[in-house]
Amino acid sequence: SQELEQSPQSLIVQEGKNLTINCTSSKTLYGLYWYKQKYGEGLIFLMMLQKGGEEKSHEKITAKLDEKKQQSSLHITASQPSHAGIYLCGADPSNNAGNMLTFGGGTRLMVKP
Amino acid sequence: DGGITQSPKYLFRKEGQNVTLSCEQNLNHDAMYWYRQDPGQGLRLIYYSQIVNDFQKGDIAEGYSVSREKKESFPLTVTSAQKNPTAFYLCASSSDRVAPYEQYFGPGTRLTVT
């Protein structure tokens, strides 16, 4: 089965600093989804990457999928307290239109004002 | 507004009792999912359903049961056979017709069994 490893597991940054979260797979990623979760709440979809080398941005968050499609990174520029939460990557192990996602363990981000 | 609702948000039960968690969606999605999240961990798939009257076991189905009698509803029963039921439970749904096919999540139910 596909396993997703996220690093770091937790991160504390000063407001205004940039940061990067990584998601590494043991197998080819057919679809890579990034979600954000506030503590005790559901997940909010951020972005989905599918093609090797693909890069997408939303506001100050940029996600990339490497050419080999086994690693994705999420980069936040000029972090703000509103960016705090848990970031989870999820992958489609079978190219099956988003069903049956496998999730990484999450990265807990805290932003100090 | 379209979305997924889960109820209740917090649930307390005594050990040995079965409990049913509700999940309803009005997004007209065919697929629905149940995940379990433990503190500091990612999500693990319990059950999923891709169509009404059909469902499949996920990675950790033991001690859980589901039904899918209506497209909008996918209730999860945590039975007394589940050895460690205290957790945060998340329901999700997705469409395989509209890209990017992301899963939409409900707000979750925190179950505490003592």
Side-chain angles (χ1 to χ4, degrees):
Chain A
S1 63
Q2 182 162 45
E3 291 189 2
L4 294 178
E5 191 82 27
Q6 281 188 242
S7 62
Q9 289 186 341
S10 65
L11 192 54
I12 303 173
V13 299
Q14 196 70 43
E15 183 176 357
K17 294 294 186 185
N18 302 339
L19 64 107
T20 300
I21 296 168
N22 292 304
C23 176
T24 303
S25 170
S26 55
K27 298 183 180 179
T28 299
L29 296 164
Y30 289 104
L32 191 287
Y33 297 75
W34 281 102
Y35 286 87
K36 179 185 175 185
Q37 182 184 28
K38 293 277 191 189
Y39 178 74
E41 297 181 13
L43 277 64
I44 304 296
F45 171 71
L46 295 175
M47 276 170 274
M48 183 260 194
L49 304 165
Q50 209 164 18
K51 299 174 187 173
E54 188 174 8
E55 179 175 323
K56 287 185 179 176
S57 292
H58 175 67
E59 297 179 346
K60 293 186 178 179
I61 301 176
T62 300
K64 299 179 188 179
L65 183 61
D66 75 344
E67 289 289 344
K68 292 183 180 178
K69 294 171 59 174
Q70 285 194 276
Q71 183 169 29
S72 178
S73 60
L74 187 83
H75 184 79
I76 299 177
T77 305
S79 58
Q80 299 168 358
S82 61
H83 286 127
I86 302 169
Y87 290 82
L88 293 121
C89 62
D92 178 357
S94 62
N95 200 20
N96 193 24
N99 292 329
M100 292 285 294
L101 294 183
T102 299
F103 284 89
T107 294
R108 187 178 295 269
L109 171 65
M110 287 171 271
V111 180
K112 295 199 298 186
Chain B
D1 275 12
I4 301 183
T5 56
Q6 290 185 244
S7 61
K9 189 157 179 67
Y10 299 96
L11 194 51
F12 298 88
R13 279 294 182 271
K14 295 284 188 189
E15 201 172 310
Q17 293 179 334
N18 291 356
V19 60
T20 297
L21 281 60
S22 165
C23 177
E24 304 276 332
Q25 55 98 1
N26 60 4
L27 299 165
N28 199 33
H29 285 168
D30 288 311
M32 295 187 74
Y33 315 82
W34 273 106
Y35 293 93
R36 170 184 172 135
Q37 187 178 35
D38 292 286
Q41 296 189 28
L43 278 62
R44 291 185 290 169
L45 183 65
I46 304 173
Y47 267 99
Y48 67 100
S49 167
Q50 294 184 301
I51 197 167
V52 174
N53 291 323
D54 185 61
F55 48 83
Q56 306 295 330
K57 292 181 179 180
D59 299 321
I60 54 165
E62 187 175 345
Y64 299 98
S65 66
V66 293
S67 63
R68 186 86 187 277
E69 296 175 5
K70 299 188 299 183
K71 188 175 185 178
E72 303 79 19
S73 179
F74 192 39
L76 173 75
T77 296
V78 185
T79 74
S80 55
Q82 167 49 232
K83 298 205 184 322
N84 213 5
T86 294
F88 188 54
Y89 290 88
L90 286 158
C91 178
S93 71
S94 70
S95 167
D96 61 2
R97 298 176 199 159
V98 180
Y101 316 122
E102 77 268 26
Q103 293 186 13
Y104 290 74
F105 283 81
T109 291
R110 186 167 298 280
L111 172 65
T112 303
V113 176
T114 57

